[in-house]
Amino acid sequence: MPTVNFQAPLVAFNRDTIISLYKECQPRVLVVTDTLNFDPTQGFGLTQFVNTLKASTIHGMTPKVVTASRSADPNADIPNFDFNDASKGLVISRYDVVFLFGARTEGSSDLPAPQVDTIAKFMEAGGGVFATGDHQTLGASLCGNLPRVRAMRRWKAAQTPPHVSNTNRFSTNLSGPNETEEFSDQSNTEPQRLYLNFRTQAGGIGNPHPLVQLKAPRRALEVYPDHPHEGECLVPASLATTFTVGGQSVPEWPTDLTGATLSPEVVAMSVSHGDGFPIGPTGAKEALLPKLFASIVAYDGHRANKGRVSTDSTWHHFININLDGTGEPGFNGLQSPAGVDTEALKRIREHHVNLATWLMPKKVRKCLRFPLVLEELSRFPLVEELEIKPLKESTVAELTDTGSALLQSLSRRMAPWEVNAFVLDTLSESLGEAEALRLLDQSDAATALRNQDIAHAAMGGMLTGVASKLAELPTIKEVVPHRTFEAAALEGSKVATKLALGRKREQLKQMDELLSRLQSAGELR
């Protein structure tokens, strides 16, 4: 039986060539602050975070990261930033994700209503938004009036945010070797313990949320930078609220594409605890009664064709003083004295990249899937061991095995949630997104497991389509973005999905016949 010779064009595979062909798919990230900075010598700088993103890959491609400050920070790419600036402002054609690190208090240069509207339009168009502040109303000026964001964290005084020093403060600091509580503990090598929610809609029962899933051999983020006075994230009490965007009133929390309620959810919680201490940059701290609070909350807007949103209890989880100890003499943060990342910091950096990746619009993820598939096909073991038959000669079992091989290979380099997103995109094109969501319902582990073979078959059909087109090319340089593979991949996934659904129907029919015979024989009562 003949097989598809997809390997020949991949002999001289050059990842840079493929990336250059798909350069319009490059993820674009905007990082905005008001009074934090982008100075690597400053403790309250965001350079460690920004450099982590710049050194990462998102769906296989290095992102373009732009820094902006609402102040006159000379280290920002765009100082004195205005979200409505005609040439540099926030629009979905220019950026995919915006990170908002607010430090100004409520009522201090609050974001003007037209700029709030611009961010709302960005969210409605599918753009991802991350927002955080710190204790009390720090961050409310930038983030406190933004749709969805405003209800996913305590920003304003009316929301009673945690205090800076009294018994209503939230401290996650773990003391160092001296076992004494002090402000500088946030810059030692002892991170806080993070308590993950293993029952999220986005992660499914038994899996953590995508934001805290890690690549193999790691599994989940269970450490976080600590700080003696954090803020607090929330899940909104009401999902019936609306907001105005472009002069129109729209639901703040629309139902998802299946008609189900779609609420923000707690991703992770922290424990506030510890003794007081008399000295620190913000004065004395009172001793605390231990208390659990939400440190990460997320909204999966993709399920409603909106942008995703995530909030965090404090920007101290992202700034230099907590990561590498900059600004705190004698401390290295979560690095060794030689500047090498500890295991905890490696995990935290992966979470930072997860944020940018998960918040990406669906269109970016879909745009980059073919470069990702081509790279995987060029790698061991697929390039040496995978045998693919032409689509018309493939059985559903063979297509399922092909899809399983691709997913297993991807799982070596990607977190489980990224692989699952790839599957959802493929099935969505075959069945429509609402039906794909129902088929892969992550809130019911049994449902997802029962339908795994259909998902694997769809992936196998898609890969068969890509491989078949690849075999027709003399070299990889002949790839034409958004034309070479799209039709063949779609046809392959549709054919495979139809075959897999037909087999499932036959299996159910056989099961029904068996149950009927057993019942007739009196075996079932």
Side-chain angles (χ1 to χ4, degrees):
M1 183 71 70
T3 58
V4 176
N5 183 19
F6 67 87
Q7 292 91 345
L10 293 173
V11 170
F13 178 83
N14 187 317
R15 181 177 182 274
D16 291 339
T17 299
I18 295 300
I19 293 301
S20 67
L21 289 172
Y22 285 84
K23 60 185 177 182
E24 78 275 17
C25 300
Q26 183 181 30
R28 303 157 303 171
V29 177
L30 176 66
V31 182
V32 183
T33 186
D34 40 30
T35 59
L36 300 180
N37 61 74
F38 298 100
D39 186 340
T41 68
Q42 296 297 309
F44 282 62
L46 287 159
T47 51
Q48 282 282 327
F49 169 70
V50 169
N51 289 340
T52 295
L53 295 187
K54 287 182 176 180
S56 70
T57 56
I58 294 176
H59 304 306
M61 188 178 284
T62 302
K64 178 182 180 181
V65 183
V66 176
T67 59
S69 173
R70 294 186 70 210
S71 302
D73 181 3
N75 295 292
D77 295 324
I78 312 175
N80 302 308
F81 180 71
D82 184 329
F83 288 91
N84 285 344
D85 183 274
S87 62
K88 299 177 181 178
L90 182 69
V91 289
I92 197 66
S93 61
R94 186 175 292 132
Y95 300 109
D96 301 306
V97 173
V98 60
F99 283 85
L100 303 173
F101 293 91
R104 287 179 180 154
T105 58
E106 180 181 6
S108 175
S109 301
D110 287 358
L111 198 64
Q115 295 190 50
V116 171
D117 192 61
T118 291
I119 297 174
K121 290 176 180 176
F122 179 77
M123 296 166 70
E124 289 296 279
V129 176
F130 169 87
T132 188
D134 195 30
H135 61 82
Q136 291 174 270
T137 69
L138 293 185
S141 171
L142 177 60
C143 307
N145 293 318
L146 300 179
R148 300 188 180 111
V149 168
R150 63 189 180 183
M152 292 171 60
R153 192 180 179 283
R154 297 189 192 276
W155 300 100
K156 299 184 177 183
Q159 296 171 296
T160 60
H163 197 261
V164 65
S165 59
N166 66 22
T167 55
N168 189 36
R169 74 180 172 101
F170 284 169
S171 173
T172 57
N173 262 17
L174 285 180
S175 58
N178 64 6
E179 299 186 27
T180 300
E181 300 281 348
E182 52 193 354
F183 197 90
S184 55
D185 287 336
Q186 69 171 342
S187 299
N188 64 22
T189 57
E190 305 296 324
Q192 65 163 298
R193 168 70 188 269
L194 198 62
Y195 297 85
L196 307 183
N197 177 8
F198 284 87
R199 299 186 67 88
T200 63
Q201 185 178 38
I205 306 303
N207 289 306
H209 190 280
L211 291 180
V212 290
Q213 285 186 30
L214 304 180
K215 297 180 179 68
R218 302 180 180 99
R219 185 194 178 201
L221 178 76
E222 292 184 298
V223 292
Y224 223 24
D226 51 14
H227 182 59
H229 43 240
E230 301 197 11
E232 181 181 14
C233 294
L234 293 173
V235 171
S238 171
L239 299 180
T241 52
T242 61
F243 66 94
T244 300
V245 56
Q248 300 293 318
S249 179
V250 299
E252 193 158 20
W253 312 107
T255 55
D256 73 9
L257 296 171
T258 71
T261 300
L262 182 61
S263 170
E265 53 190 355
V266 174
V267 173
M269 306 191 84
S270 296
V271 173
S272 174
H273 65 94
D275 194 2
F277 51 87
I279 301 174
T282 53
K285 310 292 182 190
E286 292 195 44
L288 298 170
L289 181 69
K291 181 180 180 180
L292 196 65
F293 69 97
S295 49
I296 306 173
V297 166
Y299 171 70
D300 188 3
H302 286 189
R303 295 181 67 99
N305 278 335
K306 310 295 182 186
R308 285 172 167 166
V309 183
S310 181
T311 57
D312 195 285
S313 55
T314 176
W315 30 254
H316 277 276
H317 299 149
F318 300 84
I319 63 174
N320 299 341
I321 195 170
N322 298 84
L323 300 179
D324 68 353
T326 299
E328 191 67 71
F331 289 83
N332 300 296
L334 296 170
Q335 291 184 332
S336 71
V340 177
D341 288 356
T342 61
E343 172 63 20
L345 186 50
K346 290 177 182 177
R347 290 170 178 262
I348 290 162
R349 290 194 196 280
E350 190 169 335
H351 164 63
H352 291 169
V353 176
N354 275 358
L355 277 164
T357 307
W358 187 77
L359 289 169
M360 278 289 148
K362 284 187 284 189
K363 65 180 180 64
V364 177
R365 186 175 69 231
K366 291 180 178 180
C367 191
L368 285 167
R369 63 181 175 158
F370 292 120
L372 195 64
V373 169
L374 293 175
E375 183 174 7
E376 212 59 44
L377 281 174
S378 71
R379 289 173 175 266
F380 177 83
L382 297 189
V383 71
E384 292 186 19
E385 298 180 1
L386 186 62
E387 292 188 353
I388 298 178
K389 293 181 181 178
L391 183 63
K392 292 182 179 179
E393 300 172 16
S394 298
T395 66
V396 64
E398 289 167 337
L399 291 168
T400 302
D401 288 345
T402 296
S404 298
L406 173 61
L407 294 174
Q408 185 176 13
S409 185
L410 287 169
S411 296
R412 292 187 175 94
R413 297 190 298 122
M414 300 168 66
W417 71 269
E418 292 184 85
V419 178
N420 292 340
F422 200 162
V423 173
L424 175 62
D425 288 340
T426 301
L427 272 178
S428 294
E429 291 192 342
S430 301
L431 301 173
E433 191 166 356
E435 292 306 321
L437 285 169
R438 292 188 182 98
L439 195 73
L440 299 176
D441 184 6
Q442 293 297 310
S443 65
D444 183 351
T447 296
L449 183 62
R450 284 196 303 271
N451 295 326
Q452 190 178 70
D453 54 343
I454 299 173
H456 287 197
M459 293 295 292
M462 179 276 297
L463 186 60
T464 298
V466 171
S468 297
K469 295 302 293 186
L470 190 60
E472 298 174 3
L473 303 177
T475 71
I476 198 73
K477 295 181 180 180
E478 304 301 315
V479 170
V480 179
H482 315 305
R483 198 163 59 191
T484 298
F485 301 116
E486 279 75 356
L490 178 58
E491 180 190 9
S493 64
K494 282 188 172 182
V495 168
T497 302
K498 184 177 180 180
L499 288 173
L501 288 171
R503 182 172 67 172
K504 181 72 70 174
R505 183 182 294 112
E506 184 61 31
Q507 290 171 340
L508 292 173
K509 179 182 177 182
Q510 292 173 359
M511 179 62 70
D512 182 62
E513 291 173 350
L514 173 61
L515 291 173
S516 296
R517 288 198 301 271
L518 290 172
Q519 193 168 30
S520 297
E523 297 295 331
L524 297 178
R525 299 182 185 277

